[in-house]
């Protein structure tokens, strides 16, 4: 008896059948044999992502090649340690994979050393923090004591070391100015393991004020001067940060998770390339870099031995299947087509920002240099970021609310929306589509009002969207996504019929 897939293949023209599709179906059949509801949810997620315009700045679409590298038996192997220095036997193949991924990362970014094990950006930052603490605080103390084995320290020596490790200063970009939770935000472990200080953007311009940062750094004298962002729409002068770090005696660390793809794609070069100037650089691999969910740490040679000890410092067993996928993603990022993509991400962001401004929307700093922009909807439409996020989703656009500098609405409600172009650029959209997207965003915002409470005051979370506006927006979004189909190799109708019962 023929299977549904065999029937489908026999009735479809060979030139319309993708090997990726047959492999995808085979994979889902294996999943469905044990958990049909899981296979159904995977197909539903494909349907959801095809029906909503993805403008989340931190999301993208990795290739099916990258996805394939993750779905295999590599997930079964423990490989704590690093290549040629493992705590488990039988890691020869994992050594080859991790070494290949590290070499690809070094070549891609021009780094002296690459550590490809971290599971997430938060993990990568913890590895980096503790590597710096180990290199700059622990190693000199152990050298002075004349002992390298921590287990042989006396209780008094261990207590003294712990006290010094736990009382170092970190200076990073304020969360509300575009920094990340892991950059010293008090609700995050980073502010609890460091004596944490934040610098902000200028209140008038919304831009980094390097002279003000230098003055603060000279007063704080941090062990780590950290820069990078998750919601800052401008390029950073890392040469200037290098000068500040040298002047105040700090280690310069950069979190380039958001814009790593623009570095890899040679959009950010010279003073805007953090790898050339920083001691330690961290990044995720799934945002503009368009790889699997994960992260890496890049560093100068003096920090390499300490970064390699992410296990046992912070991490446990690395995810070998994800390291394999990282290697594939790095190979893809070293191509001319990827560099063209990276430049297109920036071009699209600038085109989208220009059109938003033309339509009367208010952008933080008045535009963008990178892949993202922040729209202030509180001052122009009387909406919180949460209301705007909900309105957009109900109209077919997926994005996220975001705090603005010195935001009176706080981190939950916020006053702004963060909009990014990596995913729509992956789909192949260009300047014409950016104009249409800006128009749809304006349409939805103009057609949305806060719902009113029983007391007659605006409700922070609930909204009312004009039905005609919602219908028009969804129609226009569908028209865009109909022209730029996510994973066109995958026949969604067949997948729904086969796996959603």
């Amino acid at each position: 008896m023929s299977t549904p897939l065999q029937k489908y293949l026999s009735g479809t023209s060979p030139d319309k059948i993708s090997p990726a599709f047959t492999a995808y179906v085979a994979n889902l059949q294996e999943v469905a044999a044990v958990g049909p509801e899981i296979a159904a949810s995977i197909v539903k997620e494909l349907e959801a992502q095809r029906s909503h315009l993805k403008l989340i700045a931190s999301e993208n679409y990795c290739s099916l090649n990258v996805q394939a590298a993750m779905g295999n038996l590599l997930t079964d192997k423990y490989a704590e340690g690093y290549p040629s220095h493992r705590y488990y036997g039988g890691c020869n193949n994992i050594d080859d994979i991790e070494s290949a991924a590290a070499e690809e990362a070094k070549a891609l970014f021009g780094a002296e050393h690459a550590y490809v094990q971290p599971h997430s950006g938060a993990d990568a930052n913890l590895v980096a923090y503790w590597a710096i603490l180990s290199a700059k605080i622990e190693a000199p103390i152990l050298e002075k004591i004349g002992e390298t084995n921590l287990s042989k320290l006396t209780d008094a020596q261990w207590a003294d070391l712990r006290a010094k490790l736990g009382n170092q200063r970190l200076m990073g970009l304020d969360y509300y100015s575009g920094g990340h939770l892991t950059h010293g935000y008090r609700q995050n472990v980073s502010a609890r393991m460091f004596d944490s200080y934040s610098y902000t953007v200028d209140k008038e311009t919304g831009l980094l004020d390097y002279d003000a940062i230098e003055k603060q750094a000279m007063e704080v004298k941090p062990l780590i001067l950290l820069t990078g962002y998750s919601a800052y729409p401008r390029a950073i002068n890392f040469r200037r940060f290098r000068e500040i770090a040298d002047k105040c005696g700090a280690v310069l660390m950069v979190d380039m998770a958001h814009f790593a793809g623009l570095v890899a794609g040679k959009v950010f070069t010279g003073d805007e390339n953090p790898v050339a100037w920083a001691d330690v650089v961290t990044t995720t691999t799934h945002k503009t870099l368009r790889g699997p969910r994960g992260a890496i740490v890049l560093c100068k040679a003096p920090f390499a031995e300490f970064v390699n000890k992410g296990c046992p410092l912070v991490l446990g067993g690395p995810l070998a299947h994800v390291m394999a996928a990282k290697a594939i993603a790095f190979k893809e990022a070293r191509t001319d087509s990827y560099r063209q993509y990276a430049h297109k991400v920036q071009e699209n962001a600038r085109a989208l920002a220009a059109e938003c401004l033309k339509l009367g929307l208010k952008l933080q700093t008045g535009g963008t240099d990178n892949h993202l922009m922040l729209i202030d909807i509180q001052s122009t439409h009387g909406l919180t970021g949460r209301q705007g996020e909900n309105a957009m989703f109900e109209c077919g656009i997926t994005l996220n609310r975001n705090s603005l500098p010195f935001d009176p609405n706080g981190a939950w409600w916020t006053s702004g929306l963060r909009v990014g172009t990596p995913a729509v650029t992956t789909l192949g959209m260009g300047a014409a589509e950016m104009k249409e997207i800006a128009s749809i965003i304006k349409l939805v915002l103009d057609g949305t009002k806060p719902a009113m409470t029983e007391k007659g005051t605006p409700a922070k979370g609930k909204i009312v969207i004009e039905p005609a506006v919602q219908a028009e927006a969804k129609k226009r979004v569908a028209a865009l996504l109909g022209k730029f189909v996510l994973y066109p190799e995958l026949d969604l109708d067949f997948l729904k019929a086969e796996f959603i019962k």
Side-chain angles (χ1 to χ4, degrees), residues 186-391:
R186 287 189 176 181
Q187 279 72 12
N188 183 263
V189 67
S190 55
R192 303 180 185 204
M193 60 184 275
F194 284 107
D195 180 15
S196 181
Y197 296 80
S198 295
Y199 57 90
T200 66
V201 294
D202 181 84
K203 284 189 176 182
E204 297 299 322
T205 66
L207 300 173
L208 292 174
D209 182 335
Y210 296 101
D211 291 339
I213 294 169
E214 179 178 310
K215 180 180 178 182
Q216 184 179 357
M218 292 304 295
E219 294 171 354
V220 172
K221 294 293 181 68
L223 171 70
I224 301 173
L225 177 60
L226 173 62
T227 189
Y229 52 80
S230 65
Y232 180 70
R234 296 297 180 178
I236 292 178
N237 186 326
F238 296 106
R239 177 189 57 78
R240 186 72 178 90
F241 266 102
R242 176 76 266 166
E243 292 171 352
I244 297 171
D246 289 343
K247 190 172 182 178
C248 71
V251 173
L252 179 58
M253 175 177 160
V254 177
D255 180 347
M256 66 171 184
H258 258 274
F259 55 94
L262 303 185
V263 177
K266 311 305 180 187
V267 176
F268 288 160
T269 59
D271 293 350
E272 296 175 354
N273 175 8
V275 182
W277 300 101
D279 299 299
V280 180
V281 178
T282 62
T283 181
T284 51
T285 51
H286 52 272
K287 297 184 177 76
T288 49
L289 200 50
R290 209 163 59 177
R293 296 197 66 84
I296 61 175
V297 180
L298 307 172
C299 66
K300 302 296 187 187
F303 291 92
E305 65 173 297
F306 303 99
V307 167
N308 277 350
K309 294 175 183 175
C311 171
L313 265 178
V314 175
L315 305 176
L319 307 179
H321 57 304
V322 180
M323 290 194 293
K326 290 174 186 177
I328 298 301
F330 299 153
K331 286 178 178 290
E332 291 177 345
R334 292 180 65 193
T335 61
D336 288 339
S337 62
Y338 180 86
R339 285 187 283 275
Q340 292 167 6
Y341 160 76
H343 281 82
K344 194 68 176 178
V345 168
Q346 184 191 56
E347 291 171 12
N348 279 346
R350 286 175 167 169
L352 180 58
E355 190 65 20
C356 284
L357 291 170
K358 183 178 177 181
L359 293 174
L361 297 178
K362 183 178 180 181
L363 301 188
Q364 180 68 17
T365 76
T368 181
D369 294 327
N370 51 37
H371 63 294
L372 65 84
M373 64 208 70
L374 298 174
I375 306 177
D376 179 353
I377 62 172
Q378 180 71 65
S379 64
T380 58
H381 290 80
L383 298 169
T384 64
R386 183 170 174 80
Q387 288 170 326
E389 175 187 299
N390 291 342

Side-chain angles (χ1 to χ4, degrees), residues 83-159:
S84 300
H85 189 89
R86 304 289 187 185
Y87 295 95
Y88 284 79
C91 290
N92 292 1
N93 295 314
I94 311 304
D95 282 356
D96 291 344
I97 289 169
E98 182 173 347
S99 296
E103 289 302 314
E104 289 290 338
K106 286 165 60 180
L108 177 62
F109 291 107
E112 294 179 14
H113 181 73
Y115 182 69
V116 299
Q117 291 190 20
H119 315 322
S120 69
D123 286 352
N125 283 348
L126 283 174
V127 169
Y129 289 150
W130 281 105
I132 294 168
L133 286 166
S134 296
K136 292 297 184 179
I137 304 302
E138 179 182 294
I141 289 176
L142 293 180
E143 183 178 4
K144 184 177 181 180
I145 294 173
E147 181 57 72
T148 58
N149 188 340
L150 292 175
S151 299
K152 292 184 178 181
L153 298 186
T154 67
D155 289 345
Q157 289 170 332
W158 177 239

